[in-house]
Amino acid sequence: MALSNLDQPLFEGAEASKRDLVDYLEAVGERLVRVLRDRPLSVVRVRPGQDPFMQKNLPKYTPEWVRRVTVWAESSRREISYALCDDLRTLIWFGNQRAVEYHPTLFLADSAPEPTHLVLDLDPSPGQTFADAVAGARLIRDALAADGLAGAVKTSGSKGLHIFVPVAGGIGVEDAAAATRAVAARAERLDPSVGTTAFIREDRHGRVFLDATRAGGATVAAAYSPRIRPGVTVSFPLRWSDLDDVTPADFTLRTVPGLIGDDDPWKTEMPAPQNLPQDLVEEGHTIPVARVQAMHEGKRRARARRGE
C-alpha cells in the first residue's frame, strides 16, 4: 500500500516520526496481531495539530480487504462497525492512518459478548511510583492464588500494570464483572495500606487503585501497543520475576524492537483458561458496581456541600 507523510512528527513529545511508528508495527507485527486477531478493535489516532481521539467505527474510506464485524453497543444504543486486525497489512494500514494505540475488546467477535479474560488495572496515586504499582499487582496475584487462579502481567504503557486472567468459555458478562470486583476486594483485604478499590480519587489516600472496572464492553490497550505518552512508551508483557528490575520507561517505540527475541512472554506466561470459583462470583455480586456507586456518592456529597 502507499504510505504517506512518513517523516511527520508523530505527536508533540513523541520524539518519533510516523515512519518510526510504521517500522515498529512491522517489527512487532506478528506478536501484536496475535493479540488483536478476531477481536473488535478500537484505535486511538492522532492527527497533526489535533488532540488524540478514539476511533471505533471504521471510516468510509477503509479498504474492502479490512475485515470487520458489526457489534451492538449498549452504551451508545447503536451498531458499530469494528475492524478485525487479523494480519500485518491491516496493522500497517492503521499505522498509516496514525493509529498509535490499539484497544481490542475482551471478547472474540464470534462469541460476543462472552469475555475471555478478567482484567485488573493497577493505577498508582499521584506521588506514587511504579514500585507501588508492583506492590498492588502482587496483592492481586496473591488473591488469585488463594482461589487457585493465575494471571499474566504487563506494563500499561503509562505508570501502572495490567493483569489478565484467562477464563474458561461460557461465563457471562455480569458474572465476569462480579468476579473481577471480588478479586480486587480480596486483594484489598490482604493489605489495605497498599491497595484500594475506592473509585473516587480523593478516597484513595495515596494508595494504589485496584481497578476492577475493565469488564463487559470495555477495551484495554493490547500487549505491545504503543501509547500516546512522552517517548511513545509501549504496553509490554513481563514475567512476574521481572517486576523489580524494570520501569515503564524501559519499553518504548525505539527500544522494544531490540528487546524482543524469539520468546513472546504474553504467549508463554499466559495461563490456560480457568474456571472461576462459584464463591468468588457470588461475592462479587454483593459488591456494588464502582461507577454507579461513585455517581450516587458524588451526588450525595454535592448535596451535603450545598447544605453547608
Side-chain angles (χ1 to χ4, degrees):
M1 73 189 74
L3 304 179
S4 61
N5 302 313
L6 292 176
D7 294 325
Q8 285 185 347
L10 198 52
F11 56 86
E12 186 176 354
E15 299 178 359
S17 66
K18 181 178 168 183
R19 184 187 304 276
D20 294 320
L21 172 65
V22 172
D23 287 347
Y24 172 82
L25 294 176
E26 186 172 10
V28 303
E30 180 182 348
R31 290 169 171 81
L32 183 50
V33 168
R34 187 183 297 142
V35 178
L36 303 178
R37 183 174 286 122
D38 295 328
R39 296 180 185 272
L41 177 65
S42 300
V43 296
V44 181
R45 297 171 58 191
V46 54
R47 292 171 174 157
Q50 298 183 17
D51 291 335
F53 64 96
M54 177 166 278
Q55 175 183 291
K56 297 178 181 289
N57 254 321
L58 281 172
K60 293 181 179 179
Y61 56 79
T62 303
E64 291 184 2
W65 46 261
V66 173
R67 286 190 64 215
R68 62 203 74 195
V69 63
T70 300
V71 177
W72 175 258
E74 190 63 35
S75 58
S76 56
R77 305 295 298 174
R78 65 189 178 110
E79 288 189 331
I80 295 178
S81 178
Y82 286 95
L84 296 175
C85 189
D86 291 350
D87 53 39
L88 181 60
R89 181 166 68 157
T90 301
L91 184 63
I92 297 299
W93 179 80
F94 270 116
N96 194 48
Q97 299 299 309
R98 304 179 68 95
V100 179
E101 299 191 7
Y102 297 80
H103 294 246
T105 60
L106 298 179
F107 55 82
L108 298 170
D110 62 0
S111 59
E114 183 181 297
T116 58
H117 296 79
L118 310 184
V119 176
L120 285 304
D121 183 0
L122 292 307
D123 186 15
S125 290
Q128 289 194 302
T129 66
F130 182 66
D132 296 299
V134 170
R138 288 184 171 135
L139 289 183
I140 296 292
R141 182 182 62 174
D142 291 346
L144 289 169
D147 279 313
L149 301 172
V153 63
K154 67 182 181 71
T155 65
S156 67
S158 184
K159 60 181 180 178
L161 290 162
H162 293 154
I163 299 173
F164 275 59
V165 183
V167 295
I171 185 169
V173 171
E174 295 303 324
D175 283 348
T180 308
R181 294 195 295 272
V183 170
R186 292 181 179 189
E188 180 182 30
R189 292 198 293 267
L190 291 176
D191 192 341
S193 69
V194 171
T196 177
T197 58
F199 189 80
I200 299 175
R201 291 180 182 273
E202 64 191 55
D203 293 343
R204 297 176 192 169
H205 306 299
R207 294 170 292 171
V208 176
F209 179 37
L210 311 178
D211 186 355
T213 63
R214 303 299 185 94
T219 62
V220 183
Y224 301 108
S225 172
R227 303 300 305 273
I228 302 177
R229 303 288 189 276
V232 201
T233 50
V234 168
S235 181
F236 196 76
L238 300 168
R239 297 172 183 83
W240 283 97
S241 58
D242 294 336
L243 288 178
D244 289 329
D245 302 320
V246 300
T247 69
D250 295 335
F251 310 108
T252 71
L253 201 71
R254 296 187 184 278
T255 64
V256 165
L259 294 174
I260 56 176
D262 296 332
D263 186 26
D264 179 357
W266 201 236
K267 181 180 178 181
T268 59
E269 299 297 308
M270 185 69 68
Q274 303 151 99
N275 291 308
L276 297 176
Q278 188 59 35
D279 69 294
L280 186 74
V281 176
E282 290 175 353
E283 178 182 339
H285 280 296
T286 69
I287 300 172
V289 176
R291 295 181 188 278
V292 176
Q293 185 183 36
M295 178 185 67
H296 291 308
E297 178 62 16
K299 291 179 178 179
R300 186 195 66 79
R301 294 182 187 186
R303 288 194 299 268
R305 287 193 293 269
R306 289 196 296 269
E308 293 172 359

